[in-house]
Amino acid sequence: MRTDTDADADVDDPTNARAEVATMTTDVTEITVIGDDDTGLVARVTSLLFERGINIEDLDQAVRDDVFRMYLAVDTSEMVCTEETLREDLHELGEDLGLDVQVRFPADRETQQIAVLGTKESHCLEALFESWANDELGADIGVVIGNHDDLQPLAEHYGVPFHDIGDEKGQQNEERLLEVLAEYDADLIVLARYMRILSPNVVFRYEDRIINVHPSLLPAFPGAEAYRQAVEEGVRVAGVTAHYVTTDLDQGPIITQRAFDVPDDADVDEMKRRGQPLEADALLEAVKLHLNGDVSVHRGRTTVRENGTGYQLGLPAEIDEVTPDRPVDGIGSVVADDH
């Protein structure tokens, strides 16, 4: 277990957050602590767990914009209290320290709940709904949340509650967002072309449980107007990326990518026409990888587990048939034959 001293090196550098913490399997209990930064917070929480016979398998903490976040993966198999008592004790400690403490036991994750966030574009949400309707997700889409009401008819068509958390200009109300996510007990948040940036107050609560799709081959062209950036730079190949969300914009661990050729005369509308179906495809594949527990995060990169087969992470396998495999760096075959 890491101590406060061990964490000092990365507590103010959220790019290192959970650098050594892989995505947890379903046999551990996950505890997330969020609140204003203060001294002694780690000691108070870990002492409570120790007193109840709970072993800490992983601990990571970070601070961003004065928001403190601590994540713990713990083994509760031999704890000397009930699950309900532990929830109550952590809740009381949180109230005493002014912290929000969330506990997820293994049984809490058996039927996963998805919250989808969107703005106006419908293609990614439509792909998620179609897969869900065909029983391909293995999870429930419990709620759709928007900062405009454009996607409400699509959500209602599938019988899913819709909540508009935006004002007349589309600015999000994050306090309301957190209330809705808690109300529907969201296990995974999917940003289906949600055109707002989530603050650390949200990201820290759902770390490695928020998946976004971005219209570029990250790390190229992060931020807004990615297709326009690609056109202006004259790229020959463009693409899309599904990734986990971190507190650094468009820099989270990459899960899946898709690519397409860019014609000489392509404009932004043509880029969208080619890219949007791939956005939906890459996002859906990333969501399935996460829900099936087939992807893990380690040191800012994702790895597909050994049992995670049959996924398309990047280009289709057929591309290998037309991709040259030689020459590669080294002594050329002609020179080698001469010797």
Side-chain angles (χ1 to χ4, degrees):
M1 185 187 80
R2 291 171 50 178
T3 65
D4 286 348
T5 302
D6 295 327
D8 285 343
D10 65 10
V11 70
D12 290 319
D13 182 5
T15 61
N16 289 331
R18 295 192 63 184
E20 299 180 358
V21 181
T23 300
M24 290 296 117
T25 56
T26 56
D27 59 350
V28 299
T29 295
E30 296 174 312
I31 301 172
T32 304
V33 181
I34 306 289
D36 293 336
D37 189 27
D38 201 355
T39 58
L41 300 180
V42 175
R44 291 288 300 275
V45 175
T46 55
S47 294
L48 184 150
L49 298 176
F50 176 77
E51 292 167 359
R52 287 151 184 77
I54 296 171
N55 182 52
I56 299 174
E57 297 190 352
D58 246 317
L59 184 155
D60 187 79
Q61 59 177 315
V63 176
R64 184 66 176 263
D65 297 338
D66 294 325
V67 177
F68 169 82
R69 185 273 298 150
M70 179 169 63
Y71 170 89
L72 304 99
V74 303
D75 180 3
T76 55
S77 61
E78 297 183 3
M79 67 178 178
V80 295
C81 64
T82 65
E83 292 184 357
E84 185 60 31
T85 298
L86 179 61
R87 286 187 195 274
E88 293 174 354
D89 291 347
L90 285 170
H91 178 71
E92 291 178 3
L93 178 63
E95 287 191 332
D96 182 43
L97 298 176
L99 301 172
D100 178 20
V101 183
Q102 300 177 10
V103 185
R104 298 174 72 228
F105 291 100
D108 296 337
R109 304 192 294 275
E110 289 179 355
T111 302
Q112 299 186 75
Q113 296 293 318
I114 302 173
V116 184
L117 275 62
T119 295
K120 293 185 176 183
E121 298 177 17
S122 64
H123 54 288
C124 288
L125 178 59
E126 187 172 355
L128 289 164
F129 272 142
E130 288 178 356
S131 183
W132 177 55
N134 291 327
D135 294 324
E136 296 172 351
L137 287 184
D140 289 331
I141 298 179
V143 63
V144 176
I145 304 170
N147 60 317
H148 294 280
D149 62 3
D150 297 61
L151 299 176
Q152 184 169 353
L154 183 57
E156 291 177 345
H157 174 77
Y158 283 91
V160 174
F162 180 88
H163 291 265
D164 184 354
I165 61 163
D167 61 17
E168 63 277 1
K169 295 182 179 180
Q171 297 298 320
Q172 65 189 0
N173 182 334
E174 279 206 345
E175 182 177 347
R176 178 58 182 151
L177 171 60
L178 288 171
E179 290 175 354
V180 175
L181 293 173
E183 178 183 350
Y184 289 90
D185 198 20
D187 295 294
L188 174 66
I189 301 171
V190 179
L191 307 186
R193 301 299 290 133
Y194 185 63
M195 309 306 288
R196 285 291 179 266
I197 297 173
L198 300 177
S199 77
N201 198 33
V202 176
V203 175
F204 279 166
R205 283 175 164 81
Y206 296 92
E207 196 161 5
D208 290 347
R209 291 194 285 142
I210 307 176
I211 297 177
N212 179 52
V213 64
H214 181 76
S216 80
L217 289 171
L218 292 173
F221 310 134
E225 300 289 345
Y227 286 141
R228 185 176 301 280
Q229 293 181 60
V231 169
E232 291 174 351
E233 292 296 331
V235 301
R236 295 299 186 183
V237 176
V240 305
T241 303
H243 64 95
Y244 284 113
V245 172
T246 66
T247 53
D248 295 301
L249 180 64
D250 296 331
Q251 296 183 40
I254 292 170
I255 309 172
T256 58
Q257 293 184 305
R258 300 288 186 269
F260 59 91
D261 287 326
V262 181
D264 283 342
D265 59 352
D267 57 13
V268 173
D269 287 339
E270 175 64 14
M271 297 286 282
K272 289 182 178 180
R273 187 189 70 79
R274 291 172 178 252
Q276 286 182 346
L278 297 181
E279 292 172 20
D281 187 59
L283 180 62
L284 183 58
E285 193 84 332
V287 168
K288 290 179 178 179
L289 273 159
H290 177 93
L291 292 173
N292 293 335
D294 287 336
V295 62
S296 62
V297 180
H298 184 67
R299 296 187 180 277
R301 295 185 58 181
T302 60
T303 302
V304 176
R305 302 185 190 278
E306 291 183 2
N307 60 331
T309 59
Y311 296 103
Q312 182 184 337
L313 304 179
L315 294 173
E318 292 79 9
I319 199 69
D320 290 338
E321 299 177 5
V322 296
T323 301
D325 60 2
R326 61 173 303 277
V328 295
D329 190 34
I331 298 177
S333 58
V334 175
V335 176
D337 290 342
D338 290 343
H339 289 76

